[in-house]
Amino acid sequence: DGGITQSPKYLFRKEGQNVTLSCEQNLNHDAMYWYRQDPGQGLRLIYYSQIVNDFQKGDIAEGYSVSREKKESFPLTVTSAQKNPTAFYLCASSIARGITDTQYFGPGTRLTVL
Amino acid sequence: AQSVAQPEDQVNVAEGNPLTVKCTYSVSGNPYLFWYVQYPNRGLQFLLKYITGDNLVKGSYGFEAEFNKSQTSFHLKKPSALVSDSALYFCAVRGYNFNKFYFGSGTKLNVKP
């Protein structure tokens, strides 16, 4: 899992609540990503950011929001608009400087809606 | 459009036997391909990647992958499987936008003693 930390490891949310998942990296990477993992569906990209103060929607951004105020941090907010938020959420980062770029992943946060 | 496909949801192999986990790709331009492994309730760990050069790429934990341009495949292999290799394996391709990665649906590898 390298130098990427995610917290909390487990998170429980009541319906209608917003929750924020933390992702921090000390790898000096420029790019950061959020993925959602559901059983049998692999990883789906929610948002990504290539530089500070800039981010782009991925394939399933509806109901989620992000910010990138610091290079090291890329928090994800799961809003009440996300209809089915129960999933395993993975944060990743990459150096973003060329074709040899590799993504490295954090340990994940498992979100359960009660 | 960039994509990868992992045609097998699950692969079963006996310990000590060779293993292969299949991946095919579809890309515009040169393919940049990756393999990751995921243990239960953990993040993905990078195993190896193909950027250019030799078609046989060696990676972590004794794994290797064979790039085949004519068959658009990038199969993961290991000569002798271990029970501890049991995990979920993902193939991925870098997109035309180099900062986007596209992942396959994953293949569960079961290695039985």
Side-chain angles (χ1 to χ4, degrees), chain B residues 16-72:
Chain B
N17 284 0
L19 70 87
T20 299
V21 182
K22 296 180 180 178
C23 173
T24 59
Y25 65 87
S26 174
V27 300
S28 303
N30 294 325
Y32 305 113
L33 298 157
F34 300 76
W35 275 103
Y36 288 84
V37 60
Q38 184 182 34
Y39 296 97
N41 293 312
R42 301 289 298 275
L44 275 67
Q45 296 178 32
F46 169 70
L47 282 178
L48 51 81
K49 64 184 176 185
Y50 172 82
I51 302 299
T52 187
D54 290 341
N55 291 339
L56 187 64
V57 179
K58 294 191 182 297
S60 305
Y61 313 119
F63 283 94
E64 57 190 26
E66 186 172 10
F67 172 71
N68 188 316
K69 188 173 183 179
S70 63
Q71 296 185 6
T72 62

Side-chain angles (χ1 to χ4, degrees), chain A residues 1 9 33 35 37 42 45 48 50 88 90 96 98-103 105-107 110, chain B residues 32 34 36 38 41-44 46 49 51 88 90 94 97-101 103-105:
Chain A
D1 299 331
K9 186 173 177 64
Y33 310 78
Y35 291 92
Q37 185 178 18
L45 183 63
Y48 65 104
Q50 299 185 48
F88 191 51
L90 289 161
I99 62 171
T100 61
D101 200 25
T102 300
Q103 282 193 357
F105 285 79
R110 186 165 297 282
Chain B
Y32 305 113
F34 300 76
Y36 288 84
Q38 184 182 34
N41 293 312
R42 301 289 298 275
L44 275 67
F46 169 70
K49 64 184 176 185
I51 302 299
L88 189 57
F90 289 97
R94 286 272 299 280
N97 171 344
F98 288 145
N99 291 319
K100 285 191 75 174
F101 286 63
F103 287 83
S105 56

